[in-house]
Amino acid sequence: MTTVKLAVVFYTTYGTNHQIATIAAQAAKDAGAEVRLLRVAETAPQEVVNGQEAWKAQLDKMSDIPVVTPDDMDWANAYFFSAPTRYGVVASQMRGFIDTLGPLWQEGKLANKPVTATTSAQNAHGGQEATLLSLYTTFMHWGAVLVPPGYTDSVIFEAGGNPYGYSHTQGDLFDKAEPAIAHQARRLVEFAGKIAA
Amino acid sequence: MTTVKLAVVFYTTYGTNHQIATIAAQAAKDAGAEVRLLRVAETAPQEVVNGQEAWKAQLDKMSDIPVVTPDDMDWANAYFFSAPTRYGVVASQMRGFIDTLGPLWQEGKLANKPVTATTSAQNAHGGQEATLLSLYTTFMHWGAVLVPPGYTDSVIFEAGGNPYGYSHTQGDLFDKAEPAIAHQARRLVEFAGKIAA
Amino acid sequence: MTTVKLAVVFYTTYGTNHQIATIAAQAAKDAGAEVRLLRVAETAPQEVVNGQEAWKAQLDKMSDIPVVTPDDMDWANAYFFSAPTRYGVVASQMRGFIDTLGPLWQEGKLANKPVTATTSAQNAHGGQEATLLSLYTTFMHWGAVLVPPGYTDSVIFEAGGNPYGYSHTQGDLFDKAEPAIAHQARRLVEFAGKIAA
Amino acid sequence: MTTVKLAVVFYTTYGTNHQIATIAAQAAKDAGAEVRLLRVAETAPQEVVNGQEAWKAQLDKMSDIPVVTPDDMDWANAYFFSAPTRYGVVASQMRGFIDTLGPLWQEGKLANKPVTATTSAQNAHGGQEATLLSLYTTFMHWGAVLVPPGYTDSVIFEAGGNPYGYSHTQGDLFDKAEPAIAHQARRLVEFAGKIAA
């Protein structure tokens, strides 16, 4: 199998999507992929971040995680995205990063690569589906190959049954989520291996 | 206030959306609207329906409820829709009815009327958002005025927090749903009264 | 390469999506796939069809094309869909067919198969994007691998630049469309070959 | 009629959405609304902007237009949005602004207000529908009343027939667009007047 080079790209404010991304990265490594765990740069003004202790603490906690660059997107032959919703669309920090990919996109360097996505929201139906569908719409512009999990494993049902990707409701525990996230990541690696072959 | 004439249009297989529609119709009446509770015709072959006792029983139960016609759509100055998901889009029975509205649409008789929608699914994230967004996309073609509930009342949070409309997960009880459905219906009537004025 | 078995599934009223499907089927054959060109059953009442000469003529013209069945969906390891929009969602005839796939879906027989889609509309922006996104949402429920074309070839720009799939505006000629449709079909076959390997 | 207070909120890089917003603002004024024409702050790094002469020139040209603030959103009782697509979602500058509205949203100050949207893209089908639908999804979270134009006037057909809102393809002239944009703005004002009454 050709080596799968997976970029796990996440944005988080308080840590939920960091946790999702960490689980995905580990599962992908275990499945044989070369993995880069990468965070999207914070774009909120420093004083806003500092005004919320939990936000600042999370940023400090991630100081060792590299900020994703277009070079990482070029390097990877598969993508795993994770970011919280903001009114049915992914957080603007993630959109800001996506908007910098124009040159790479024009060279076709985002094309033909498999991708999957996860998200989180405050409410059970508070944009968890809409946010993932919105991300996939963007990936279609890239010429990506979309690998949402569907209902390809029973663990998905136990984690809320989101066929577009795992989605986390604030306050949920991660015990039922972990197998669903790991399945989604492993399945992506499997398809990426075939496509890169 | 000009009379609000509300068509509550639903499709159901096993009864969930019948129950939602009944709650909505009652709340709208209580808010002063003239209401027609209307079901979409079953299009599945008779032998398929007969092969599932619960499906047949539900059809029998609704024999007194009139089947919606284009005339009802012309009569109404507001719409409340309810139908279950089928893979992120509303059941084909509802789509079949919608597809018969071409002549009415061309005459502009669906335009400028407020509308809201509710749905149901097997899984918590199994198309509950996607189905409502898909319905609203269709209503935009009509020139409708869309009145999703957002988070305009705390009862919405308690019913799962779907800002696009109430959505029911199979197995849930209706105690927390009822206030959310009633709020959504009353709010529609309120806007319909202003718009029709 | 493992044989790609492609089901080209279309619904048409007046012939546009028949034409798209025919071009796709030929391109896929040329790329080495085993192809079944299949139409979705008409569900409009016979008297409605008979009342419109162009509709009836198209149905007569397709009498030799087999009607798609769940068995075809089981047989195939890749799908190419084509159907016109109805207010931003695919025609109810196609939704009706999709709604019969429950048993196959529950057995997981729609999962892990690559799929792409095309559509048509009366207006340039009259649901051409929304209809394809709605179809892909459904395919995500199946656990499908989505292969929209993106901008992976310059012929896509010349055909209107729809990254979700080729979409036809009523009245357009097919000269610029043909290369875009063929590219979309060939690319699907290529990925299907890798995934089935 | 209660005074309609309309915020026309736009983001532009090279000027297209500035032009759309200007037309909308004028039409709304002519229809009797009090109008604020407001631009979203640029968030791209100064050196990136300076590196593209057309971008910098447009920013200079707008120096007299106030940057939108949450206070403007609170003041208004109707919203007209315009911003270009980035891969099927509105530009991240607009998402960045939207993400600052959390406090206002929590107080319910965005709720019950009518809203409509327009966009632009490089290709005829390059996200023109998807971007508007994505914006409307966000507005649903606010509890907004959505007023997309549908096909409520023949000028919409002439401008490309986008029922979700006017959308501009790069290179198009504005002669056919102007009546469609003006109609969309006037219709919003009309509904806003009724709703605010």
Side-chain angles (χ1 to χ4, degrees), chain A residues 1-6 32-35 75-78 189 192-194 196-197:
Chain A
M1 192 202 273
T2 307
T3 305
V4 173
K5 292 179 283 184
L6 177 67
E34 192 177 334
V35 177
W75 164 82
N77 57 18
V189 171
K194 291 185 172 194

Side-chain angles (χ1 to χ4, degrees), chain A residues 14-145:
Chain A
Y14 304 116
T16 299
N17 288 273
H18 179 197
Q19 203 165 342
I20 296 173
T22 304
I23 295 169
Q26 187 59 53
K29 273 179 206 162
D30 293 348
E34 192 177 334
V35 177
R36 290 187 188 172
L37 181 67
L38 303 155
R39 65 186 170 95
V40 165
E42 184 55 73
T43 58
Q46 190 66 43
E47 69 269 21
V48 172
V49 173
N50 289 345
Q52 290 192 40
E53 208 165 320
W55 194 345
K56 191 176 175 306
Q58 177 59 33
L59 258 179
D60 292 346
K61 196 175 159 184
M62 298 187 296
S63 56
D64 286 350
I65 300 178
V67 168
V68 63
T69 67
D71 279 352
D72 293 311
M73 297 298 285
D74 187 15
W75 164 82
N77 57 18
Y79 306 122
F80 188 109
F81 277 83
S82 191
T85 191
R86 297 288 184 264
Y87 315 110
V89 173
V90 90
S92 60
Q93 288 86 346
M94 181 61 88
R95 294 304 316 175
F97 169 65
I98 287 171
D99 285 5
T100 66
L101 299 177
L104 219 59
W105 169 73
Q106 282 183 312
E107 294 173 55
K109 293 192 168 172
L110 300 170
N112 304 320
K113 298 180 179 182
V115 60
T116 203
T118 55
T119 191
S120 68
Q122 203 180 345
N123 293 289
H125 309 298
Q128 305 207 5
E129 296 178 19
T131 304
L132 293 176
L133 293 172
S134 166
L135 272 172
Y136 287 124
T137 296
T138 288
F139 302 151
M140 291 192 201
H141 283 249
W142 296 355
V145 175

Side-chain angles (χ1 to χ4, degrees), chain C residues 31-53:
Chain C
E34 192 177 335
V35 177
R36 290 187 188 172
L37 181 67
L38 303 156
R39 67 187 170 95
V40 164
E42 184 55 75
T43 57
Q46 191 65 45
E47 69 269 20
V48 171
V49 174
N50 289 345
Q52 290 193 40
E53 209 164 320

Side-chain angles (χ1 to χ4, degrees), chain D residues 119-140:
Chain D
T119 192
S120 67
Q122 202 180 346
N123 294 287
H125 308 298
Q128 305 207 7
E129 296 177 20
T131 304
L132 293 176
L133 293 171
S134 165
L135 272 172
Y136 286 123
T137 297
T138 288
F139 302 151
M140 291 192 201

Side-chain angles (χ1 to χ4, degrees), chain B residues 34-48:
Chain B
E34 191 177 335
V35 177
R36 290 187 188 172
L37 180 67
L38 303 156
R39 66 186 170 96
V40 164
E42 184 55 74
T43 58
Q46 190 65 44
E47 68 268 20
V48 172

Side-chain angles (χ1 to χ4, degrees), chain B residues 2-3 6 10 26-27 37 46 49 69 87 93 96-97 144 149 153 159 164-165 176 183 191 195:
Chain B
T2 308
T3 306
L6 176 67
F10 74 98
Q26 188 57 52
L37 180 67
Q46 190 65 44
V49 174
T69 67
Y87 315 111
Q93 289 86 348
F97 169 64
D153 195 294
Y164 317 127
K176 286 180 182 169
H183 168 71
F191 280 110
I195 286 169

